[in-house]
Amino acid sequence: ITGEINDAQTVALPTQVHPWALPKSDRGPVGGELPMERIVLLLKSTTEQEDSLQSLLIDLQDQSSPRYHQWLSPEQFGQQFGIHDRDLAAITSWLNAHGFKVNTVARNRRTIEFSGTAAQFASAFHAEIHKFEVNGQIHLANASAPRIPAALAPVVEGFVSLHDFRRRPLSHVTTVW
């Protein structure tokens, strides 16, 4: 993070709206008091860190490499490939300033889990959580792409999930008689 974190200058996080969260299925926003537990913010490394990680992954499987099977602990991984301490502090500070409770920072420094309400989420990320009716069932999801301060864009990838749509199995059991 190189610039000032300014809520007035934001960028959208692409591909963060579920494909089933369609306007035709939208049944309106949830109440602002709705608890949002375990929101997971996915962080990203620098290009140099990613290049180094790819090299490590190759070396870990190469029997001729001195790094062959020299596995890293989550903390070691975080130190080498996670975000910097000051960036982590800036993000958690920004979340706290918006009223969120930071629950955990992953030991690999790639995710931050936090909690709050739908109103806090809408205020901080400029995206409301709505109810969607799909196949007769009500689901919750963000209606638009969340926005983050532009200064956070170099270190924030997006969210792991902001919806309750569940994956359907690609296979099913049939009975042959």
Side-chain angles (χ1 to χ4, degrees):
I1 300 173
T2 57
E4 178 184 341
I5 300 174
N6 180 341
D7 286 331
Q9 297 174 342
T10 63
V11 296
L13 295 170
T15 67
Q16 292 287 291
V17 178
H18 193 279
W20 291 346
L22 299 170
K24 69 180 183 180
S25 305
D26 194 336
R27 299 300 176 255
V30 300
E33 70 287 345
L34 178 80
M36 293 186 67
E37 303 292 329
R38 303 191 70 217
I39 304 167
V40 180
L41 188 64
L42 184 62
L43 307 173
K44 60 183 170 183
S45 302
T46 65
T47 303
E48 295 78 18
Q49 285 173 316
E50 285 300 319
D51 292 345
S52 180
L53 175 57
Q54 292 307 311
S55 175
L56 173 64
L57 292 174
I58 291 167
D59 287 350
L60 286 170
Q61 302 302 320
D62 180 357
Q63 291 182 358
S64 65
S65 169
R67 297 195 303 181
Y68 177 69
H69 283 193
Q70 299 296 310
W71 312 115
L72 301 177
S73 70
E75 292 80 11
Q76 290 170 320
F77 184 94
Q79 287 300 315
Q80 290 183 42
F81 307 112
I83 68 170
H84 193 277
D85 286 338
R86 71 177 176 272
D87 293 341
L88 190 57
I91 295 169
T92 56
S93 235
W94 181 80
L95 289 168
N96 287 328
H98 283 278
F100 293 108
K101 177 183 180 251
V102 175
N103 302 326
T104 58
V105 175
R107 296 183 308 168
N108 68 6
R109 304 165 74 90
R110 292 285 187 116
T111 61
I112 299 173
E113 180 191 302
F114 63 100
S115 300
T117 65
Q120 288 169 316
F121 186 85
S123 174
F125 295 101
H126 312 283
E128 288 185 330
I129 303 300
H130 282 218
K131 295 177 255 181
F132 293 89
E133 186 174 351
V134 178
N135 296 326
Q137 294 184 327
I138 297 295
H139 294 276
L140 303 180
N142 52 304
S144 60
R147 301 186 68 81
I148 59 169
L152 299 180
V155 295
V156 172
E157 186 73 33
F159 294 92
V160 172
S161 174
L162 291 174
H163 60 82
D164 68 356
F165 291 104
R166 300 290 170 238
R167 293 183 185 185
R168 289 188 256 160
L170 296 175
S171 63
H172 62 277
V173 177
T174 60
T175 305
V176 177
W177 299 98

